[in-house]
RNA sequence: GCCCGAAUGGUGAAAUGGUAGACACGAAGGACUUAAAAUCCUUUGGCCAUAACGGCUGUGCCGGUUCGAGUCCGGCUUCGGGUACCA
């Protein structure tokens, strides 16, 4: 009987739908398991064969867990807001909601064909008001919260107001130490001063502490496009799209105080099962450095400023100070004599993005005219301004120690500033000595100490003499949360007297309004400025910005737990059942974006008591990228003649991409090529052995390379089960690899071979005979291997194991129920349609999804004899079959008695004989 | 520059420190067939040798540890990914 995959797959996809096979509910009687894929952005191009790779892996795991008795949550949805739909809307006038819905429908159709075990009743779309209601809700909660470092927790802003009322911004009962809370800038005021403030002043003060706050940040502003651009959208001072001028501008935008969580985001990495490289990437991104803040007085002035340093021990080598050009101190410290020069410098840096400033390592800078006083030596040191210091990190000012910092060194050399070595034996004539090793010199009371000791001594000195304070700094910056776009979540914010206020939670969701055009307004406002009546019922104007892409993806995993709840983001009892994502599968490209934001978002909700787990994603697997494998034809210059790959050297040729879908095993289908484009209708060919052989290369999978392979085409030709198997068979999931449809026949043959074991000419056919030890061994070897492999996400090797087992059973002509039934359960996670069909044929009325995973009986695996490799000096020379229970002495005797041994001993006595029982024998001569 | 990862046949790849190349694809030869498809069998890292047995060599490069290294350690090379003057 033929394996008719099309009919089988349609039959079971329909059955699963009607029987709601994949519907899942909270069930306290079963252990839970939550398997999640990073949800896709539904692009207009549809899925290509690379997208389902991670989904197939997670689906196998989800099905495996279910077979092992778990209640498995395995949902899917769409990250539906995004720029491509908006861009398309600007070009065509087509509303992004319409294109997005169309793309989602197409994705769904493609996903359905692959046979995933998603519970579609739980689908979420980030652009659905019922969904983004909870994104807006979380934003309001962040606005109404501040972060208490001492409690390491977010708290309601009312608590902070109470603290201000009783003791100002100082710690309870103190007038010196400030509250240890996250803020944009340190503010010192008493309770009396707080109470004396008017509403607007208090409003502004609180904004300094809120977790969602309006803040000033430096952005790449493009007035022609009416929007802020990311660093990689700008080059040489103009926008990449359109080439419009871009300038650095301070803009007031919504920000999330994610930096408050830096320490916890770092610490939390110790409690998740992610790869070390991914955790390391996050640690670097968070970037913790321990150091000291030192206060420097300005010479001949009452003012002073603070710098952050991790090398306070090098204070005796400070020969100049540097301010970031954006620093507020610049105008304060620039003297009249230097003003013109400084202004010119500021104007030139303003044109360049931060990235450009960083990328080219030209040394630039200007002297401010002022001097600072070294608090340790009381010497006057010049204050410079240079763009190698960033306003956004530390205090935007540094003390420069050219002898021991490469950047300071380059600067000192360029401007001829003194370089004082502080470590014995360090040669700083050519480059700085940056290592934290050696014995101090030229450093007053630190002389003779090691660098490590000096760092500690300096810290104590700074604290004792009140010259500054010990501080931990993080690289992680607050997230800018405003976008000048249409297609995103509206902020639940309105403005009264220019001040922002949150909508009442009961008025959520605030739905995205209709606009007649998706571009900025004439006045340069964001697209929402085009909306009519975009105001509260009282007439207060609503926020015109929308939220960024990561807003909707930061808590979607929680919403899947309870997707239809309109009273809460997620019900507490439901959250306590599903807890967190046990397995998260997605690409590495989200390492520092989504995976930081959602951890932050989750921790915030945890502080609020909304969720019970502090980390959202317990285990994470990164699937590799599927690259394209392009094919080429070679056209002889100035002709319409194409020469086959191995003959092309004799001609001058132009390689041309050819659609991989008209090439098979690198052999071009000539007829289809002629039809492919009118240009080639009259093409002529120089063939080798009557065939046209194409060249190939691994490139990105993209339309322009004509190497896109569509999963629908594969399903059409081979079936979904073959596609699933082949995607997994290609290699380890984490590894990137090119897609090459050549080779898919192998897994397809495997399925057909197994099918023919289960069938006769006309019908299914199983034997009820007792299995032989050989058959049992083949099966139990497979059970052991597949179970281990799935647990370790090594799906490619399990498929090999299936092939080996089926090859063995085919040789044994085994169609015994006792063997095939467990085998089908093992195969069910990989090839669900195929397995359901056989499972039904075996007489079952329930789904194979609810079978029980077989267990391996080691007794069947015991080998009676071992084929020992016999090696001499580590080189295997022959093998020797011995009973498994032969002891070492007997093994040695048997080896020595073997005629081949005499040859390799060459008459010498063995120095040593190493016998590893059941493994190997090695004779050292 | 820094951090992370990788490198094994014509191709995708496999190998708790223990017979390198399992399992597949492709290729070559053969069986069945009027023919083709499908299926089945044989060979397939390289070199040498051959009637046959066989021998040498081989996991990016150079060293080291070990009875034994694709695997562990040190030093490189190349490629891929991330990051970007973080004081």
């Amino acid at each position: 009987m033929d394996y008719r995959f099309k009919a089988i797959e349609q039959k079971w996809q329909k059955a699963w739908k009607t029987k709601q096979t994949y519907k899942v509910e909270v069930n306290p009687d079963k252990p839970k398991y939550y398997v999640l894929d990073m949800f896709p952005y539904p692009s207009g191009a549809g899925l290509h064969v690379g997208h389902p790779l991670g989904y197939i892996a997670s689906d196998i795991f989800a099905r495996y867990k279910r077979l092992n008795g778990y209640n498995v949550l395995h949902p899917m949805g769409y990250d539906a807001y995004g720029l491509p739909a908006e861009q398309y809307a600007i070009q065509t006038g087509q509303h992004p909601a319409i294109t997005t819905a169309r793309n989602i429908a197409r994705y769904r159709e493609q996903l359905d064909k692959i046979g995933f075990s998603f519970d579609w009743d739980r689908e979420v779309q980030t652009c659905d008001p019922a969904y983004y209601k909870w994104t807006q809700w979380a934003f309001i909660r962040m606005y109404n919260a501040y972060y208490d470092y001492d409690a390491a927790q977010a708290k309601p802003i009312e608590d902070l107001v109470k603290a201000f009322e009783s003791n100002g911004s100082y710690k309870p009962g103190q007038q010196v130490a400030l509250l240890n809370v996250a803020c944009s800038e340190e503010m010192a005021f008493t309770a009396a001063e707080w109470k004396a403030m008017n509403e607007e002043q208090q409003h502004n003060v609180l904004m300094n502490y809120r977790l969602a706050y309006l803040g000033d940040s430096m952005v790449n502003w493009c007035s022609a496009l009416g929007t802020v651009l990311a660093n990689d959208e700008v080059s040489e001072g103009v926008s990449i799209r359109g080439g419009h001028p871009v300038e650095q501008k301070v803009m007031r935008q919504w920000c999330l105080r994610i930096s408050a969580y830096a320490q916890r985001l770092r610490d939390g990495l110790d409690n998740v099962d992610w790869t070390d490289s991914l955790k390391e990437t996050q640690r670097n991104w968070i970037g913790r450095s321990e150091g000291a803040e030192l206060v420097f007085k300005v010479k001949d002035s009452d003012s002073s400023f603070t710098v952050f340093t991790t090398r306070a021990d090098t204070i005796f080598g400070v020969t100049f100070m540097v301010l970031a050009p954006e620093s507020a101190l610049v105008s304060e410290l620039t003297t009249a004599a230097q003003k013109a020069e400084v202004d010119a410098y500021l104007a030139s840096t303003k044109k360049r993005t931060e990235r450009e400033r960083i990328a080219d390592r030209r040394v630039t800078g200007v002297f401010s005219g002022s001097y600072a006083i070294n608090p340790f030596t009381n010497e006057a040191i010049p204050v410079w301004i240079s763009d190698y210091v960033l306003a956004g990190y530390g205090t935007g000012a540094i003390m420069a120690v050219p002898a021991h910092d490469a950047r300071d060194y380059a600067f000192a050399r360029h401007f001829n500033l003194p370089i004082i070595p502080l470590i014995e034996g360090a040669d700083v004539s050519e480059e700085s000595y940056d290592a934290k090793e050696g014995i101090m010199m030229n450093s007053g009371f630190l002389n003779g100490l090691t660098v490590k000791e000096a760092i500690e001594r300096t810290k104590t000195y700074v604290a004792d003499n009140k010259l500054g304070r010990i501080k931990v700094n993080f690289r992680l910056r607050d997230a800018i949360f405003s976008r000048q776009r249409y297609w995103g979540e509206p902020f639940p914010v309105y403005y009264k007297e220019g001040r922002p206020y949150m909508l009442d939670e009961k008025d959520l969701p605030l739905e995205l309004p209709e606009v007649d055009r998706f571009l900025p307004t004439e006045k340069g406002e964001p697209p929402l400025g085009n909306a009519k009546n975009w105001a509260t019922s009282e007439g207060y104007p609503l926020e015109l910005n929308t939220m960024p892409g990561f807003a909707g993806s930061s808590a979607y995993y929680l919403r899947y737990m309870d997707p239809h709840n309109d009273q809460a983001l997620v019900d507490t009892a439901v959250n306590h059942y599903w807890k967190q994502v046990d397995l998260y599968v997605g690409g590495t490209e989200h390492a520092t974006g989504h995976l930081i934001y959602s951890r932050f978002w989750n921790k915030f909700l945890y502080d609020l008591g909304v969720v019970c787990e502090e980390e959202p994603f317990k285990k994470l697997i990164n699937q590799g990228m599927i690259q394209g494998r392009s094919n080429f034809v070679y056209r002889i210059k100035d002709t319409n003649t194409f020469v086959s790959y191995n003959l092309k050297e004799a001609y001058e040729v132009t390689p041309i991409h050819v659609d991989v879908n008209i090439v098979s095993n690198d052999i071009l289908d000539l007829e289809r090529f002629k039809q492919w484009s009118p240009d080639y209708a009259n093409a002529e060919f120089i063939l080798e052995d009557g065939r046209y052989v194409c060249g190939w290369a691994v490139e990105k999978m993209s339309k322009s390379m004509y190497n896109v392979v569509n999963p629908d085409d594969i399903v059409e030709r081979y079936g979904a089960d073959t596609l699933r198997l082949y995607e997994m068979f290609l290699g380890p999931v984490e590894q990137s690899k090119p897609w090459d449809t050549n080779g898919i026949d192998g897994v397809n043959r495997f399925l057909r071979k197994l099918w023919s074991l289960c069938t006769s000419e006309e019908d299914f056919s199983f034997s009820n005979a007792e299995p032989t030890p050989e058959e049992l061994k083949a099966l139990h070897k497979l059970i052991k291997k597949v179970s281990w492999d799935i647990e370790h996400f090594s799906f490619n090797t399990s498929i090999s194991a299936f092939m080996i087992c089926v090859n063995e059973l085919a040789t044994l002509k085994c169609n015994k129920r006792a063997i095939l039934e467990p085998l089908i359960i093992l195969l069910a996670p990989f090839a669900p349609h195929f397995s359901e069909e056989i499972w039904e044929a075996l007489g079952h009325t329930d789904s194979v999804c609810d079978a029980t995973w077989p267990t391996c009986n080691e007794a069947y695996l015991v080998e009676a004899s071992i084929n020992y490799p016999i090696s001499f000096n580590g080189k295997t020379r022959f093998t020797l079959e011995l009973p498994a229970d032969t002891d070492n002495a007997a093994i040695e005797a048997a080896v020595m008695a073997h005629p081949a041994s005499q040859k390799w001993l060459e008459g010498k006595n063995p120095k040593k004989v190493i016998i590893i029982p059941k493994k190997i024998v090695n004779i050292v001569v």
Side-chain angles (χ1 to χ4, degrees):
Chain A
M1 189 166 76
D2 284 344
Y3 165 44
R4 276 191 277 270
F5 58 83
K6 210 173 277 181
I8 294 169
E9 290 178 0
Q10 279 168 7
K11 167 180 164 188
W12 288 104
Q13 282 167 14
K14 207 172 143 200
W16 293 331
K17 205 169 171 185
T18 33
K19 292 182 187 163
Q20 299 197 305
T21 308
Y22 302 122
K23 192 174 172 61
V24 57
E25 300 286 1
V26 166
N27 179 354
D29 299 334
K30 274 188 172 182
K32 69 94 191 186
Y33 202 89
Y34 186 176
V35 178
L36 182 64
D37 297 288
M38 289 186 187
F39 63 170
Y41 172 76
S43 82
L47 290 174
H48 67 63
V49 103
H51 293 109
L53 182 80
Y55 306 157
I56 295 170
S58 61
D59 195 57
I60 290 170
F61 202 81
R63 289 169 179 275
Y64 167 76
K65 279 288 174 185
R66 178 166 174 177
L67 288 165
N68 278 281
Y70 288 85
N71 189 26
V72 178
L73 178 56
H74 188 213
M76 182 50 87
Y78 305 96
D79 187 12
Y81 279 130
L83 256 134
E86 179 154 345
Q87 211 55 46
Y88 190 75
I90 291 169
Q91 284 161 18
T92 64
Q94 182 82 269
H95 196 284
I98 295 170
T99 46
T100 302
R102 190 163 62 211
N103 294 346
I104 286 176
R106 167 103 179 95
Y107 263 56
R108 176 64 188 276
E109 202 183 297
Q110 290 185 292
L111 290 170
D112 279 346
K113 282 188 190 163
I114 305 175
F116 293 115
S117 62
F118 297 131
D119 177 0
W120 282 107
D121 289 349
R122 292 174 181 267
E123 173 185 343
V124 300
Q125 300 183 3
T126 54
C127 64
D128 175 1
Y131 176 86
Y132 66 66
K133 171 179 175 177
W134 299 103
T135 312
Q136 294 173 335
W137 169 86
F139 178 80
I140 294 176
R141 291 297 174 105
M142 287 180 197
Y143 179 82
N144 288 319
Y146 76 106
Y147 195 84
D148 180 343
Y149 281 122
D150 289 334
Q153 198 188 2
K155 291 184 173 172
I157 198 84
E158 298 85 58
D159 292 7
L160 189 65
V161 172
K162 274 183 212 144
F164 288 168
E165 281 166 358
S166 59
N167 204 38
S169 65
Y170 295 99
K171 283 194 169 176
Q174 289 197 32
Q175 273 134 42
V176 188
L178 295 173
L179 284 167
N180 194 15
V181 297
C183 58
S184 302
E185 61 173 303
E186 300 276 358
M187 296 178 103
F189 52 85
T190 62
E193 285 169 328
W194 168 256
K195 286 174 193 161
M197 292 179 200
N198 64 24
E199 194 190 334
E200 180 175 8
Q201 286 166 327
Q202 288 191 344
H203 196 281
N204 290 341
V205 167
L206 286 177
M207 197 59 97
N208 187 49
Y209 299 93
R210 296 179 187 277
L211 286 184
Y213 64 96
L214 267 181
D216 293 323
S217 41
M218 192 65 76
V219 295
N220 304 314
W221 175 253
C222 179
S223 48
L225 295 174
T227 186
V228 169
L229 298 175
N231 281 331
D232 46 274
E233 293 176 299
V234 186
S235 172
E236 316 259 323
V238 296
S239 64
I240 293 200
R241 200 186 342 238
H244 306 291
V246 174
E247 63 165 341
Q248 298 294 298
K249 180 179 152 183
V250 173
M251 242 178 93
R252 208 154 170 75
Q253 305 194 85
W254 286 105
C255 302
L256 300 185
R257 204 178 300 284
I258 179 168
S259 60
Y261 282 80
Q263 185 67 52
R264 279 167 69 193
L265 286 168
R266 197 187 145 89
D267 293 344
L269 292 171
D270 296 335
N271 305 321
V272 292
D273 183 7
W274 299 6
T275 61
D276 289 337
S277 65
L278 184 57
K279 289 203 254 189
E280 198 54 30
T281 306
Q282 288 220 341
R283 281 194 196 102
N284 292 340
W285 188 262
I286 296 164
R288 184 180 196 273
S289 47
E290 281 183 36
E293 275 187 355
L294 300 177
V295 179
F296 282 70
K297 287 204 170 73
V298 179
K299 193 185 169 199
D300 302 326
S301 155
D302 292 338
S303 61
S304 62
F305 63 95
T306 307
V307 302
F308 175 75
T309 178
T310 53
R311 293 294 302 277
D313 57 301
T314 59
I315 184 100
F316 289 92
V318 178
T319 56
F320 57 101
M321 311 289 288
V322 187
L323 304 178
E326 298 84 359
S327 168
L329 291 162
V330 168
S331 55
E332 195 183 320
L333 296 190
T334 300
T335 59
Q338 289 298 106
K339 187 159 189 323
E341 214 182 317
V342 169
D343 286 350
Y345 183 68
L346 296 188
S348 74
T349 56
K350 205 171 183 180
K351 287 199 198 111
R352 309 168 72 203
T353 66
E354 192 170 280
R355 179 174 293 184
E356 283 170 330
R357 277 161 47 178
I358 289 162
D360 101 54
R361 286 171 190 252
R362 261 188 324 195
V363 177
T364 62
V366 62
F367 178 49
S368 70
S370 291
Y371 290 83
I373 304 295
N374 184 323
F376 282 50
T377 64
N378 287 320
E379 278 173 47
I381 33 187
V383 179
W384 285 68
I385 298 157
S386 172
D387 62 9
Y388 83 91
V389 174
L390 305 175
Y393 185 74
T395 61
I398 62 154
M399 57 177 226
V401 186
H404 302 289
D405 181 283
R407 294 152 301 172
D408 297 345
Y409 187 89
F411 194 85
R413 272 290 153 104
H414 190 263
F415 290 105
N416 245 328
L417 295 160
I419 297 169
I420 308 172
L422 302 171
I423 292 173
E424 287 178 15
D427 174 14
V428 297
S429 58
E430 294 295 330
E431 55 180 4
S432 60
Y433 179 84
D434 292 15
K436 292 186 188 178
E437 283 162 16
I439 306 294
M440 303 298 294
M441 63 176 195
N442 295 334
S443 294
F445 66 96
L446 299 173
N447 284 340
L449 299 178
T450 65
V451 169
K452 268 196 187 131
E453 290 163 347
I455 292 175
E456 285 313 306
R457 179 71 64 84
T458 323
K459 277 188 186 170
T460 327
Y461 186 87
V462 167
D464 292 351
N465 293 279
K466 303 206 160 45
L467 300 175
R469 57 174 184 155
I470 307 308
K471 175 130 195 240
V472 175
N473 240 333
F474 292 94
R475 196 183 89 102
L476 185 70
R477 295 187 208 176
D478 287 346
I480 300 177
F481 204 60
S482 292
R483 297 290 184 268
Q484 297 73 45
R485 304 282 181 195
Y486 173 72
W487 192 230
E489 299 86 348
F491 281 91
V493 173
Y494 64 93
Y495 289 86
K496 194 158 93 183
E497 294 163 35
R499 295 194 296 275
Y501 290 88
M502 295 297 119
L503 293 179
D504 206 292
E505 283 179 17
K506 72 171 167 35
D507 295 329
L508 299 182
L510 172 66
E511 293 198 25
L512 188 64
E514 292 302 318
V515 292
D516 39 27
R517 45 187 303 225
F518 304 101
L519 288 167
T521 63
E522 312 264 293
K523 287 185 281 176
E525 292 166 340
L528 288 191
N530 294 316
K532 291 187 188 76
N533 307 322
W534 188 234
T536 62
S537 51
E538 296 85 14
Y540 296 116
L542 289 159
E543 170 75 50
L544 297 181
N545 287 290
T546 54
M547 296 188 191
F550 66 85
S553 57
S554 289
Y556 74 111
Y557 53 91
L558 292 169
R559 194 60 185 160
Y560 280 138
M561 296 176 183
D562 199 6
H564 308 298
N565 190 336
D566 59 359
Q567 298 303 306
L569 167 65
V570 53
D571 176 78
T572 306
V574 170
N575 177 253
H576 274 75
Y577 180 74
W578 295 114
K579 291 193 166 73
Q580 65 185 152
V581 175
D582 294 287
L583 174 69
Y584 197 25
V585 178
T588 351
E589 66 273 19
H590 298 108
T592 50
H594 164 62
L595 287 174
I596 293 251
Y597 296 128
S598 50
R599 290 182 62 221
F600 154 75
W601 204 283
N602 190 81
K603 280 176 194 294
F604 169 72
L605 295 175
Y606 173 80
D607 287 353
L608 252 55
V610 173
V611 302
C612 64
E613 287 286 344
E614 185 162 356
E615 284 295 334
F617 314 119
K618 194 173 187 176
K619 185 178 175 68
L620 187 137
I621 296 281
N622 282 125
Q623 97 264 17
M625 264 191 340
I626 296 270
Q627 296 147 311
R629 186 184 186 278
S630 312
N631 275 117
F632 298 94
V633 290
Y634 302 90
R635 184 171 62 194
I636 300 172
K637 277 232 162 98
D638 306 321
T639 70
N640 204 12
T641 302
F642 295 83
V643 57
S644 185
Y645 179 77
N646 296 300
L647 304 175
K648 72 179 195 304
E649 296 311 323
Y651 306 86
E652 202 181 331
V653 294
T654 319
I656 297 169
H657 276 96
V658 62
D659 189 343
V660 294
N661 295 296
I662 61 171
V663 175
S664 169
N665 287 326
D666 294 336
I667 306 299
L668 181 67
D669 184 327
L670 299 180
E671 283 315 306
R672 289 178 69 193
F673 179 70
K674 286 181 181 175
Q675 291 159 18
W676 186 45
S677 157
D679 295 349
Y680 306 137
N682 299 315
E684 293 181 37
F685 305 94
I686 301 176
L687 307 176
E688 48 184 307
D689 302 331
R691 304 184 305 183
Y692 190 97
V693 180
C694 298
W696 62 275
V698 173
E699 297 175 302
K700 215 182 123 185
M701 194 174 278
S702 89
K703 260 187 184 167
S704 61
M705 312 276 190
Y706 296 106
N707 60 8
V708 176
V709 181
N710 188 309
D712 307 295
D713 294 343
I714 304 282
V715 169
E716 178 68 24
R717 243 175 98 192
Y718 295 96
D721 287 330
T722 295
L723 172 71
R724 291 171 62 107
L725 285 174
Y726 188 55
E727 293 237 4
M728 294 297 102
F729 188 66
L730 273 178
V733 220
E734 313 85 0
Q735 211 166 293
S736 288
K737 57 234 155 190
W739 176 271
D740 183 357
T741 308
N742 297 341
I744 197 166
D745 289 319
V747 291
N748 189 247
R749 270 175 212 151
F750 154 74
L751 283 181
R752 289 204 308 257
K753 200 178 244 183
L754 177 55
W755 183 262
S756 70
L757 273 185
C758 300
T759 54
S760 61
E761 286 287 307
E762 296 298 324
D763 205 351
F764 293 101
S765 152
F766 303 100
S767 146
N768 288 321
E770 284 295 310
T772 65
E774 225 177 345
E775 291 162 347
L776 284 167
K777 190 168 152 190
L779 173 68
H780 284 259
K781 229 166 48 183
L782 182 68
I783 296 171
K784 189 176 177 177
K785 176 82 177 141
V786 172
S787 306
W788 195 91
D789 281 351
I790 295 179
E791 295 280 357
H792 295 85
F793 301 93
S794 178
F795 304 114
N796 55 328
T797 51
S798 9
I799 293 169
S800 300
F802 276 115
M803 290 173 169
I804 293 168
C805 179
V806 168
N807 286 346
E808 283 171 0
L809 295 179
T811 312
L812 298 167
K813 300 207 176 357
C814 169
N815 71 335
K816 293 173 187 165
R817 178 180 295 273
I819 298 295
L820 293 173
E821 197 168 88
L823 193 153
I824 284 301
I825 301 171
L826 296 177
L827 186 65
F830 297 84
H833 315 84
F834 182 99
S835 304
E836 288 279 29
E837 184 71 10
I838 304 283
W839 186 249
E840 187 188 54
L842 281 160
H844 296 276
T845 49
D846 58 346
S847 166
V848 71
C849 296
D850 293 313
T852 302
W853 192 256
T855 46
C856 167
N857 185 344
E858 295 278 347
Y860 296 129
L861 303 182
V862 177
E863 301 275 353
S865 66
I866 308 286
N867 191 21
Y868 280 99
I870 312 299
S871 55
F872 291 79
N873 291 335
K875 284 186 177 150
T876 304
R877 296 304 183 180
F878 60 93
T879 59
L880 187 57
E881 186 92 13
L882 291 170
D885 56 0
T886 315
D887 64 28
N888 285 7
I891 292 173
E892 185 169 345
V895 170
M896 289 307 161
H898 196 276
S901 293
Q902 299 317 307
K903 177 178 166 192
W904 294 106
L905 283 169
E906 294 168 331
K908 294 171 211 151
N909 276 331
K911 253 192 224 159
K912 204 168 167 188
V913 178
I914 288 133
I915 296 168
I916 312 295
K918 301 194 163 121
K919 286 276 185 209
I920 198 169
V921 178
N922 188 20
I923 295 145
V924 188
V925 183

